[in-house]
Amino acid sequence: MTHEYDAIIATARRIALEAGAIQMRYFRKLESYEKKGHIDLVTIADRESEELIHREILHAFPDHAVLGEEGGRYGAEQSDYLWIVDPLDGTTNYAHGLRLFAVSIGVSFRGQIIAGVVYAPALDELYTATRGGGAFRNLQQIRVSERDKLEDALLVTGFPYDRAAHVKPLMTMLGECIKSSRGILRLGAASLDFAMVAAGHLDGFYEYGLRPWDMAAGALLVEEAGGRVTGFAKDEKFDLFGKRSVASNGRIHDELLRAITCEGGALTFPP
Ligand code: IPD
Ligand code: CA
Ligand code: CA
């Protein structure tokens, strides 16, 4: 199996680098700040990136399946392997010329994520992990931070596109984190939020409403860097297809869960 993982991660890394090159080809080439211009341009980068990714995956592994954000499912109908792809994570940043965007490729085997790559081409940062093999940035091993109190922690969160429907609970959670931590960021690219926790720059990340392609690679990065990934409630396991995700260095995890669930009290999100 290790040999199979090696081939998978090598391919995922190569494809992510190629997709990142596509992103850079269109980055900051906006001619105007009109909304349509943004959307058109982002669509080109998204589409070209995803087309390349799924073509290359199936060329290398014809019996695998691919789930891509833009195009849905490709490849084998029945396969133990599912590649879960966000061809451009951080679209809003990208459209505004901010460098915080990435390609995210996670690979699951019979439902368990076994390999992940997050590549942020404008930052020149390539994050990789294989289950049991550790997490790396540009081939250097990374570890989560050692901060063990929420009051010393720097957190990050994000807001789903349907945030208008959930303003109240989102603000409640945010308020608790503002009160009890050193600070909280919103970077705008979930795959990088996970990566920054894995690398120890940030201590915790939570978000409601993420999709599998936002999380597949990043969740493995955090676990392999020594951190913890769960749902919102105590004992709620992390669910790649669920909506409630928390990642941390492990040490502040329980305290962070207590803050975002208001000590286990009312949280009005759907599960
Ligand atoms: C989004 C980003 C953002 C998160 C959103 C995602 P996209 O992905 O990861 O940080 O808050 O929930 O949908 O649309 O840029 O691929
Ligand atoms: Ca995304
Ligand atoms: Ca995307």
Side-chain angles (χ1 to χ4, degrees):
M1 187 56 80
T2 311
H3 179 67
E4 180 83 359
Y5 284 11
D6 289 347
I8 285 172
I9 196 74
T11 304
R13 193 190 296 128
R14 175 178 57 76
I15 295 173
L17 290 171
E18 288 176 31
I22 291 175
Q23 294 178 353
M24 292 310 287
R25 194 182 314 143
Y26 295 107
F27 184 52
R28 293 184 175 169
K29 300 285 191 310
L30 295 169
E31 285 176 4
S32 79
Y33 282 92
E34 274 173 46
K35 204 172 174 193
K36 189 165 183 296
H38 290 181
I39 290 165
D40 282 349
L41 192 79
V42 169
T43 306
I44 291 167
D46 268 321
R47 203 192 310 115
E48 275 194 30
S49 172
E50 184 161 321
E51 273 168 20
L52 169 117
I53 295 170
H54 92 248
R55 192 177 58 240
E56 296 280 324
I57 292 169
L58 295 178
H59 181 71
F61 301 101
D63 57 339
H64 289 193
V66 183
L67 175 66
E69 180 183 7
E70 303 304 324
R73 233 185 127 104
Y74 316 90
E77 279 191 13
Q78 302 280 332
S79 175
D80 284 339
Y81 291 95
L82 180 65
W83 293 59
I84 304 161
V85 174
D86 192 336
L88 173 53
D89 185 41
T91 320
T92 308
N93 288 344
Y94 184 87
H96 283 252
L98 294 169
R99 294 175 188 274
L100 289 162
F101 59 87
V103 186
S104 175
I105 303 176
V107 187
S108 72
F109 175 73
R110 296 184 182 162
Q112 185 186 48
I113 310 159
I114 51 147
V117 175
V118 174
Y119 177 46
L123 305 180
D124 192 23
E125 293 187 354
L126 175 71
Y127 294 85
T128 55
T130 47
R131 186 161 295 279
F136 298 81
R137 175 172 55 203
N138 297 346
L139 305 180
Q140 299 254 354
Q141 187 150 19
I142 50 175
R143 293 281 309 166
V144 292
S145 69
E146 297 196 348
R147 274 176 284 273
D148 57 7
K149 290 196 194 76
L150 192 56
E151 65 182 16
D152 297 327
L154 186 56
L155 306 175
V156 65
T157 189
F159 306 113
Y161 285 110
D162 66 346
R163 53 191 164 251
H166 306 293
V167 169
K168 222 168 164 193
L170 287 171
M171 287 304 116
T172 306
M173 292 160 86
L174 186 63
E176 288 304 310
C177 290
I178 288 171
K179 273 195 289 186
S180 38
S181 71
R182 179 171 286 168
I184 181 156
L185 310 175
R186 197 271 160 116
L187 297 179
S191 60
L192 289 175
D193 296 332
F194 282 106
M196 300 291 165
V197 172
H201 304 304
L202 299 174
D203 309 297
F205 167 45
Y206 73 86
E207 184 162 345
Y208 172 75
L210 288 175
R211 307 302 306 277
W213 40 82
D214 299 314
M215 303 189 277
L220 184 65
L221 283 172
V222 171
E223 287 182 349
E224 286 299 320
R228 191 171 155 202
V229 186
T230 67
F232 281 0
K234 205 169 180 319
D235 305 325
E236 183 182 325
K237 282 210 170 78
F238 172 64
D239 177 0
L240 189 57
F241 293 86
K243 291 185 157 185
R244 302 146 57 102
S245 318
V246 185
S248 83
N249 65 3
R251 295 170 187 236
I252 60 152
H253 206 89
D254 290 341
E255 233 191 318
L256 178 57
L257 290 183
R258 282 198 295 277
I260 64 174
T261 60
C262 308
E263 298 290 333
L267 241 197
T268 50
F269 286 123

Coordinates of all heavy atoms in Angstrom, one line a residue, residues 137-167:
R137 N 5.7 21.0 4.0 CA 5.6 22.2 3.1 C 6.9 22.3 2.4 O 8.0 22.4 3.0 CB 5.4 23.5 4.0 CG 5.3 24.7 3.1 CD 4.9 26.0 3.8 NE 5.8 26.2 5.0 CZ 5.4 26.9 6.0 NH1 4.2 27.4 6.1 NH2 6.2 27.0 7.1
N138 N 6.8 22.3 1.0 CA 8.0 22.4 0.2 C 9.0 21.4 0.7 O 10.2 21.7 0.8 CB 8.5 23.8 0.1 CG 7.6 24.8 -0.5 OD1 6.6 24.4 -1.1 ND2 7.8 26.1 -0.4
L139 N 8.5 20.2 1.0 CA 9.3 19.0 1.3 C 9.9 19.1 2.8 O 10.6 18.2 3.2 CB 10.4 18.7 0.3 CG 10.0 18.5 -1.1 CD1 11.1 18.3 -2.1 CD2 8.9 17.4 -1.2
Q140 N 9.6 20.2 3.5 CA 10.1 20.2 4.9 C 8.9 19.8 5.8 O 7.8 20.3 5.6 CB 10.4 21.7 5.3 CG 11.5 22.3 4.5 CD 12.8 22.4 5.3 OE1 12.8 22.1 6.5 NE2 13.9 22.8 4.7
Q141 N 9.2 18.9 6.8 CA 8.1 18.5 7.6 C 7.5 19.6 8.5 O 8.3 20.5 8.9 CB 8.6 17.3 8.5 CG 7.4 16.7 9.3 CD 7.7 15.2 9.7 OE1 8.8 14.8 9.6 NE2 6.6 14.6 10.0
I142 N 6.2 19.6 8.6 CA 5.6 20.7 9.4 C 4.8 20.0 10.6 O 4.4 18.9 10.5 CB 4.6 21.5 8.6 CG1 3.6 20.6 7.8 CG2 5.3 22.5 7.7 CD1 2.5 21.4 7.0
R143 N 4.7 20.8 11.7 CA 4.0 20.4 12.9 C 3.0 21.5 13.3 O 3.3 22.6 13.1 CB 5.0 20.2 14.0 CG 5.9 19.0 13.9 CD 5.4 17.7 14.2 NE 4.6 17.6 15.5 CZ 3.8 16.6 15.8 NH1 3.6 15.6 15.0 NH2 3.2 16.6 17.0
V144 N 2.0 21.1 13.9 CA 1.0 22.1 14.5 C 1.7 22.8 15.7 O 2.8 22.4 16.2 CB -0.2 21.4 15.0 CG1 -1.1 20.8 13.9 CG2 0.1 20.3 16.1
S145 N 1.1 23.9 16.1 CA 1.7 24.7 17.2 C 1.6 24.0 18.5 O 0.9 23.0 18.7 CB 1.0 26.1 17.2 OG -0.3 25.8 17.7
E146 N 2.3 24.6 19.5 CA 2.2 24.0 20.9 C 1.4 24.8 21.8 O 1.3 24.5 23.0 CB 3.6 23.8 21.4 CG 4.4 22.8 20.5 CD 5.6 22.2 21.1 OE1 6.1 22.8 22.2 OE2 6.1 21.2 20.6
R147 N 0.8 25.9 21.3 CA 0.0 26.7 22.2 C -1.1 25.9 22.8 O -1.8 25.2 22.1 CB -0.5 28.0 21.5 CG 0.5 29.1 21.5 CD 0.0 30.3 20.7 NE 0.1 30.0 19.2 CZ 1.2 30.2 18.5 NH1 2.3 30.8 19.1 NH2 1.3 29.9 17.3
D148 N -1.3 26.1 24.1 CA -2.3 25.2 24.8 C -3.4 25.9 25.4 O -4.2 25.3 26.1 CB -1.6 24.2 25.7 CG -0.8 24.8 26.8 OD1 -0.9 26.1 26.9 OD2 -0.1 24.1 27.5
K149 N -3.5 27.2 25.3 CA -4.6 27.9 25.8 C -5.3 28.7 24.7 O -4.6 29.4 23.9 CB -4.1 28.9 26.9 CG -3.6 28.3 28.1 CD -3.6 29.4 29.3 CE -2.7 28.9 30.4 NZ -1.3 29.0 30.2
L150 N -6.6 28.7 24.8 CA -7.4 29.5 23.7 C -7.0 31.0 23.8 O -7.0 31.6 22.8 CB -8.9 29.2 23.9 CG -9.8 29.7 22.8 CD1 -9.4 29.1 21.5 CD2 -11.2 29.4 23.1
E151 N -6.8 31.4 25.0 CA -6.5 32.9 25.1 C -5.2 33.3 24.4 O -5.0 34.4 24.1 CB -6.5 33.3 26.6 CG -5.3 32.7 27.4 CD -5.3 33.1 28.8 OE1 -6.4 33.7 29.3 OE2 -4.3 32.9 29.5
D152 N -4.3 32.3 24.1 CA -3.0 32.6 23.4 C -3.1 32.2 21.9 O -2.2 32.3 21.2 CB -1.9 31.8 24.0 CG -1.6 32.2 25.5 OD1 -1.8 33.4 25.8 OD2 -1.3 31.3 26.3
A153 N -4.3 31.7 21.5 CA -4.4 31.1 20.2 C -4.8 32.2 19.1 O -5.6 33.1 19.4 CB -5.4 30.0 20.2
L154 N -4.3 32.0 17.9 CA -4.7 32.8 16.8 C -5.6 31.9 15.9 O -5.1 30.8 15.5 CB -3.5 33.3 16.0 CG -3.8 34.3 14.8 CD1 -4.6 35.5 15.3 CD2 -2.5 34.7 14.2
L155 N -6.8 32.3 15.7 CA -7.8 31.4 15.0 C -8.1 31.9 13.6 O -7.7 33.0 13.3 CB -9.1 31.4 15.9 CG -9.0 31.0 17.3 CD1 -10.3 31.1 18.0 CD2 -8.4 29.5 17.5
V156 N -8.8 31.1 12.9 CA -9.3 31.5 11.6 C -10.6 30.8 11.4 O -10.9 29.8 11.9 CB -8.2 31.1 10.5 CG1 -8.1 29.6 10.3 CG2 -8.6 31.7 9.1
T157 N -11.5 31.5 10.6 CA -12.8 31.0 10.3 C -13.1 31.4 8.8 O -12.3 32.0 8.2 CB -13.9 31.4 11.3 OG1 -15.1 30.7 11.0 CG2 -14.2 32.9 11.1
G158 N -14.2 30.9 8.4 CA -14.7 31.3 7.1 C -16.2 31.4 7.1 O -16.8 30.9 8.1
F159 N -16.8 31.9 6.1 CA -18.3 32.0 6.1 C -18.8 31.5 4.8 O -18.3 31.8 3.7 CB -18.7 33.5 6.2 CG -18.1 34.2 7.4 CD1 -17.2 35.2 7.2 CD2 -18.5 33.8 8.6 CE1 -16.6 35.8 8.3 CE2 -17.9 34.4 9.8 CZ -17.0 35.4 9.6
P160 N -19.8 30.6 4.9 CA -20.4 30.0 3.7 C -21.1 31.0 2.7 O -21.4 32.1 3.2 CB -21.4 29.0 4.2 CG -21.8 29.5 5.5 CD -20.6 30.3 6.1
Y161 N -21.2 30.6 1.5 CA -21.9 31.5 0.5 C -23.4 31.8 0.9 O -23.9 32.8 0.6 CB -21.8 31.0 -0.9 CG -20.4 31.1 -1.5 CD1 -19.6 30.0 -1.7 CD2 -19.9 32.4 -1.8 CE1 -18.3 30.2 -2.2 CE2 -18.6 32.5 -2.3 CZ -17.8 31.4 -2.5 OH -16.6 31.6 -3.0
D162 N -24.0 30.8 1.6 CA -25.4 31.1 2.1 C -25.4 31.7 3.5 O -26.3 31.5 4.3 CB -26.2 29.8 2.0 CG -25.8 28.8 3.0 OD1 -24.6 28.9 3.6 OD2 -26.5 27.8 3.3
R163 N -24.3 32.5 3.8 CA -24.2 33.0 5.2 C -25.4 33.9 5.6 O -25.7 34.0 6.8 CB -22.9 33.8 5.3 CG -22.7 34.9 4.2 CD -21.3 35.5 4.2 NE -21.0 36.2 3.0 CZ -20.2 35.8 2.1 NH1 -19.6 34.6 2.2 NH2 -19.9 36.5 1.0
A164 N -26.0 34.5 4.6 CA -27.1 35.4 5.0 C -28.2 34.6 5.8 O -28.9 35.2 6.6 CB -27.7 36.1 3.7
A165 N -28.3 33.4 5.5 CA -29.3 32.5 6.2 C -28.9 32.2 7.6 O -29.7 31.6 8.3 CB -29.6 31.3 5.3
H166 N -27.7 32.4 7.9 CA -27.1 31.9 9.2 C -26.4 33.0 10.0 O -25.5 32.7 10.8 CB -26.2 30.7 9.0 CG -26.7 29.6 8.2 ND1 -27.7 28.8 8.6 CD2 -26.4 29.2 6.9 CE1 -28.0 27.9 7.6 NE2 -27.2 28.2 6.6
V167 N -26.8 34.2 9.7 CA -26.0 35.3 10.3 C -25.9 35.2 11.9 O -24.8 35.4 12.5 CB -26.5 36.7 9.9 CG1 -25.9 37.8 10.7 CG2 -26.3 36.9 8.4

